[in-house]
Amino acid sequence: MMKEEPIADQKQYLRWHLVESVTSALPKAFGDEEFRFTKVLSGAKQPQPRWRRAFAATDGSLGEAFGQLYVDEDFSPAAKARAKALVENLRVAYAERIQSTEWMSAATKAEALKKLNAFVVKIGYPDKWKDYSALKVNRESALNNLFAAAEWSTKDNLSKFGKPVDRTVWGMTPPTVNAYYNASLNEIVFPAGILQPPFYDPKADDAVNYGGIGAVIGHEMTHGFDDQGRKVDSQGNLRDWWTKEDGEKFMAKADVVGKQFDAFTPLDSVHVNGKLTMGENLADLGGLTIAYAAFMKTPQAKAGKLIDGFTPEQRFFLNFAQIWRVNMRPETLRQQVQTDPHSPGQFRTIGPLQNMPEFHKAFSCKEGDKMVRPASNRAKIW
């Protein structure tokens, strides 16, 4: 491309990318024009308020310094300890499910357990914060601050070249409302930002927390065994550790989930793409299954007492539904279905639950109800 495209076009392309990357710090006309473009893709009616954009810019450029303030204010050591205990309870439940799985051979089970037990768990914030002392910012120019932050970040990245892999590094900032599984490091990571309601509340009962953050923890664990994570071993190496027969059985089970999601239509003629969303759908189903198994070991689940008129099982599933509650404009929904490996929130809720006999029992669903898939089409992996 560098040889074939006219130099003038290449310069214009680079100019555009430079301007587009710093629009937030340019005169209002640039921001207005960018929003006009955003409206077409997302259907948004007005830009984000200035304070939100300021927070996002600070998180993007000074994420761990910003994160220290957030953690000091909103994430206690007790909250971290309870979240850590939740993870370990799910790890135990996952091991039991792997051991009792009928379709897996003993050799593959041994490798799966080895990988599960090797998961590195990161919760809340890094043990060692980034040192931003070399980054100079001032009140004279927001644009120059963005350039300085980009330069600092590039140098920070290049400083790692040729050195051993730093396994303490985080791929998200502490205030981020998200979580991730990193296959090459075999780690599951839960920033402080997601460890708040509706996902997690250290003061809430177990049904709420296992149905919320428990399902997210199980989701990230299951990424280690989804259609992509299953190709990586306990040390993060790209290696097929499955027997041929077990791999084929797994993919046959995954195809059932793919067909289920292919049939979902969020609007007009738009269908969810079961292949594109496969890994996330498998993680949602596996995560919810494991979280429920772990919850059933708790004293609350065993006692069976009603709270607000709901059984422990019902409260578990209600909070699972709450974590994916979302409103989206049609334009955003259409874009998500075409480009995002995550299914829309409503199907992240409905899809796994349609496959779960435990949900059907909790809410007295019958064969033939919309939330009950026929047994012959029901997906079950873990």
Side-chain angles (χ1 to χ4, degrees):
M1 201 173 142
M2 302 220 22
K3 289 179 182 175
E4 294 170 7
E5 297 296 329
I7 292 294
D9 289 356
Q10 293 188 42
K11 287 181 176 179
Q12 184 67 359
Y13 176 80
L14 293 171
R15 278 192 204 100
W16 185 85
H17 270 287
L18 175 63
V19 171
E20 195 269 342
S21 69
V22 293
T23 308
S24 61
L26 295 176
K28 185 173 180 295
F30 289 86
D32 291 346
E33 194 63 28
E34 182 186 46
F35 181 66
R36 282 182 60 208
F37 181 59
T38 301
K39 282 170 72 172
V40 176
L41 294 179
S42 70
K45 303 300 181 189
Q46 60 191 41
Q48 291 275 10
R50 191 166 182 263
W51 69 267
R52 278 190 181 276
R53 286 179 279 145
F55 270 28
T58 309
D59 189 38
S61 296
L62 294 161
E64 289 195 11
F66 191 50
Q68 280 181 273
L69 298 174
Y70 177 78
V71 165
D72 289 346
E73 186 78 24
D74 270 324
F75 192 64
S76 69
K80 182 171 183 174
R82 187 172 179 191
K84 175 76 171 164
L86 267 165
V87 173
E88 295 310 319
N89 291 347
L90 260 85
R91 198 191 310 243
V92 170
Y94 219 131
E96 291 176 358
R97 298 295 286 218
I98 290 170
Q99 286 166 326
S100 63
T101 300
E102 296 173 0
W103 56 270
M104 244 183 179
S105 68
T108 305
K109 282 181 182 180
E111 287 282 353
L113 290 168
K114 186 177 175 184
K115 183 169 189 181
L116 175 71
N117 291 327
F119 278 151
V120 173
V121 181
K122 294 179 178 176
I123 292 176
Y125 49 89
D127 293 330
K128 180 185 175 187
W129 297 99
K130 284 185 178 178
D131 177 6
Y132 292 99
S133 57
L135 172 56
K136 304 302 178 192
V137 296
N138 59 55
R139 292 181 173 274
E140 291 174 16
S141 169
L143 180 62
N144 282 342
N145 287 342
L146 284 183
F147 286 149
E151 185 177 346
W152 180 90
S153 180
T154 300
K155 286 179 178 175
D156 180 57
N157 209 13
L158 291 174
S159 71
K160 301 177 177 67
F161 184 74
K163 295 179 182 175
V165 174
D166 184 354
R167 294 178 178 269
T168 67
V169 168
W170 280 52
M172 286 179 180
T173 65
T176 303
V177 184
N178 209 337
Y180 67 92
Y181 168 69
N182 182 332
S184 60
L185 297 180
N186 197 32
E187 64 180 9
I188 49 176
V189 186
F190 307 96
I194 200 170
L195 295 168
Q196 62 174 315
F199 294 94
Y200 173 71
D201 183 347
K203 299 189 182 80
D205 57 288
D206 279 335
V208 169
N209 283 323
Y210 278 86
I213 197 65
V216 174
I217 293 166
H219 172 105
E220 300 307 338
M221 286 181 168
T222 304
H223 272 316
F225 309 99
D226 68 14
D227 58 323
Q228 297 302 313
R230 62 179 288 275
K231 299 172 184 175
V232 180
D233 68 14
S234 61
Q235 299 306 305
N237 300 309
L238 193 61
R239 178 174 72 86
D240 189 356
W241 47 268
W242 299 64
T243 66
K244 185 172 182 292
E245 295 77 12
D246 289 352
E248 289 170 354
K249 287 175 186 174
F250 175 89
M251 291 313 296
K253 287 177 173 291
D255 285 343
V256 175
V257 179
K259 289 187 177 71
Q260 178 190 6
F261 278 81
D262 276 338
F264 287 137
T265 52
L267 52 103
D268 53 62
S269 60
V270 176
H271 280 257
V272 174
N273 183 334
K275 190 173 182 181
L276 172 66
T277 57
M278 177 68 79
E280 298 299 332
N281 298 335
L282 294 179
D284 282 341
L285 176 60
L288 185 62
T289 302
I290 301 305
Y292 186 83
F295 172 60
M296 294 312 290
K297 295 173 177 291
T298 65
Q300 182 187 5
K302 291 172 182 173
K305 285 174 60 178
L306 298 183
I307 299 179
D308 298 330
F310 294 106
T311 66
E313 293 86 352
Q314 288 172 334
R315 287 169 60 75
F316 171 92
F317 289 117
L318 284 169
N319 204 49
F320 171 71
Q322 283 208 120
I323 67 175
W324 300 123
R325 190 174 58 176
V326 65
N327 276 330
M328 299 177 81
R329 297 190 185 278
E331 295 90 342
T332 299
L333 194 52
R334 191 181 303 274
Q335 183 186 171
Q336 177 178 353
V337 168
Q338 292 175 334
T339 63
D340 196 325
H342 300 84
S343 299
Q346 69 191 98
F347 302 120
R348 296 190 72 172
T349 306
I350 291 168
L353 295 179
Q354 286 182 333
N355 292 303
M356 284 193 72
E358 298 88 346
F359 169 79
H360 305 153
K361 181 181 177 183
F363 286 95
S364 304
C365 302
K366 309 179 300 295
E367 287 292 332
D369 288 348
K370 284 181 76 172
M371 286 301 293
V372 181
R373 280 176 71 75
S376 58
N377 293 336
R378 205 172 289 164
K380 183 186 177 188
I381 300 178
W382 303 110

